[in-house]
Amino acid sequence: MKKLILISVVLAFLCFGKTVVAAEAPNTLSYRLRLEPGQSFRSEVDLTQSVVQDVLGMRLLNKQHIAMVILEEVISVDDEDNVLVKVLYESICFQTEGLMGEMRFDSETDQSMDPTSIGKALQAMIGESFFVKYSPDGRVMEVLETDRLFQRMLDAMELSDPKQYETMRSTLANIYSEEAMKEMLSQIKSVYPPMPIEVGQEWTVKQHLEQEFVLETEITFCLAERSDGYATITFDGNMSTLPGGSSTDMGEMKLIYDITGEQNGWYRIDEKTGWVKGAEVHLDLNGEITLIMGADDDMTMTWPIVFQSDMTIRSTEVIEAL
């Protein structure tokens, strides 16, 4: 479940930070990047999450709050209008409360309740960057230099145990490697309408998402409003694991997830630049996890789980003073 939480942070921000559209006709919109080299946007992302599990009569509650400031700069636009964007982490504030107590990290202060390797890894992200290349319609073509990012995080953790080092390397690679990041970013294509749209028009997209477990999603989008040069798109939909649950092998153990849920929210787009100026996303998941153990899979344990997440994004274009 920790991997799911980490992935949701990366995916949620990049998904709604990169949805783009451009005005095409008086009453319709068509998705397209309309950016120029040198343009920069500063995005503030605020994410609150909670996971509740009832295991053997004990309620386990984990809460997380993450606030990030990320600077995105358009590096180049080639002859085919493909756009190269640099993504840089400016600040991160992270707080978690759970069974193991409270941990807090703030990159902008010297005060931290996290002397562990996790805090060191987060600090290592500040000032680091990676690059994303987009086609004019927002399709992810390439992700570059994320390997450098997760290696810097890994080095900062100063893990002396070889087994722990390899385990953490694998975890970070599954999230921040160039291929992993490209796969996650490529899943955002569902937000693009298949045709120019007008106010009130809807379109529905089904997806098969593979992360910690497989989720089937069906999300309906709607162009809800156009006003003062901005477009507001709302979305609402359902998601669930495969019939019979989705399993994850962990050596001699297996976890089977039987999860359903809903996702809804909105995002607001500047029609001139195609940039997302704001977004709100709410996610509710609940169901059961079954742990299977033993040489003959003869030992099982099942418990309920509830996952909730609320995210807001606010983005502004950076205008340098003359």
Side-chain angles (χ1 to χ4, degrees):
M1 210 63 194
K2 291 180 180 179
K3 182 179 174 184
L4 174 64
I5 292 173
L6 287 170
I7 289 174
S8 70
V9 174
V10 178
L11 180 59
F13 170 72
L14 291 171
C15 171
F16 292 93
K18 283 286 168 274
T19 309
V20 289
V21 351
E24 186 173 82
N27 296 317
T28 64
L29 291 176
S30 178
Y31 279 72
R32 188 175 186 277
L33 282 165
R34 298 175 66 89
L35 300 172
E36 298 179 357
Q39 283 186 289
S40 295
F41 301 86
R42 178 169 285 111
S43 298
E44 299 179 3
V45 184
D46 191 278
L47 180 66
T48 300
Q49 302 179 119
S50 68
V51 181
V52 180
Q53 302 181 69
D54 290 302
V55 183
L56 298 176
M58 179 184 299
R59 169 154 292 197
L60 306 178
L61 172 62
N62 181 271
K63 295 181 179 180
Q64 289 191 346
H65 176 244
I66 303 167
M68 298 184 291
V69 178
I70 298 178
L71 182 67
E72 296 168 276
E73 178 185 359
V74 180
I75 300 300
S76 64
V77 179
D78 65 22
D79 293 339
E80 297 180 349
D81 290 332
N82 300 313
V83 181
L84 183 65
V85 176
K86 178 181 179 181
V87 183
L88 182 142
Y89 294 94
E90 290 193 326
S91 68
I92 299 175
C93 181
F94 174 80
Q95 184 173 358
T96 181
E97 299 177 41
L99 184 63
M100 303 302 293
E102 180 182 2
M103 182 186 76
R104 185 169 66 243
F105 169 82
D106 188 344
S107 64
E108 294 195 313
T109 71
D110 294 330
Q111 301 299 318
S112 174
M113 291 180 61
D114 177 28
T116 67
S117 56
I118 296 177
K120 295 177 181 178
L122 292 173
Q123 185 65 56
M125 294 176 67
I126 306 305
E128 286 297 313
S129 60
F130 62 93
F131 298 85
V132 184
K133 187 176 183 179
Y134 294 93
S135 64
D137 62 357
R139 178 173 52 86
V140 180
M141 302 178 67
E142 197 172 11
V143 178
L144 304 168
E145 298 190 22
T146 60
D147 290 346
R148 182 192 64 187
L149 171 64
F150 87 73
Q151 185 61 53
R152 178 175 170 82
M153 295 169 66
L154 187 62
D155 292 343
M157 297 173 81
E158 300 178 334
L159 301 173
S160 57
D161 185 290
K163 185 175 181 179
Q164 188 179 15
Y165 180 92
E166 288 303 320
T167 298
M168 185 55 66
R169 178 180 174 80
S170 177
T171 299
L172 291 175
N174 286 339
I175 302 170
Y176 292 105
S177 70
E178 293 174 1
E179 278 304 310
M181 191 73 81
K182 182 179 179 180
E183 180 181 347
M184 286 190 288
L185 287 169
S186 295
Q187 294 171 355
I188 73 174
K189 291 188 294 181
S190 62
V191 302
Y192 303 132
M195 77 290 283
I197 55 174
E198 60 185 7
V199 173
Q201 188 171 352
E202 297 182 347
W203 69 99
T204 299
V205 177
K206 297 181 180 180
Q207 275 193 305
H208 178 88
L209 305 180
E210 296 188 25
Q211 297 298 342
E212 185 173 0
F213 49 82
V214 178
L215 275 176
E216 300 284 352
T217 71
E218 183 172 339
I219 308 294
T220 297
F221 299 86
C222 177
L223 177 57
E225 180 185 30
R226 293 181 65 186
S227 177
D228 299 325
Y230 294 93
T232 300
I233 293 180
T234 60
F235 61 93
D236 188 4
N238 302 312
M239 55 189 64
S240 64
T241 49
L242 298 172
S246 177
S247 64
T248 299
D249 290 324
M250 303 174 62
E252 298 180 356
M253 300 184 297
K254 179 187 294 185
L255 288 175
I256 298 179
Y257 297 88
D258 187 4
I259 304 290
T260 61
E262 299 178 348
Q263 186 180 47
N264 58 72
W266 57 266
Y267 53 101
R268 185 167 293 117
I269 300 158
D270 184 336
E271 294 182 19
K272 180 180 179 180
T273 64
W275 198 258
V276 170
K277 304 295 290 184
E280 290 188 5
V281 186
H282 178 73
L283 174 65
D284 270 309
L285 295 174
N286 64 83
E288 293 182 335
I289 299 177
T290 298
L291 173 64
I292 301 177
M293 301 175 290
D296 300 317
D297 292 343
D298 54 353
M299 300 174 61
T300 64
M301 181 172 63
T302 300
W303 64 92
I305 183 169
V306 176
F307 175 85
Q308 293 182 321
S309 173
D310 287 286
M311 181 189 67
T312 62
I313 294 174
R314 298 291 181 268
S315 184
T316 57
E317 185 171 2
V318 179
I319 306 295
E320 294 185 2
L322 297 177

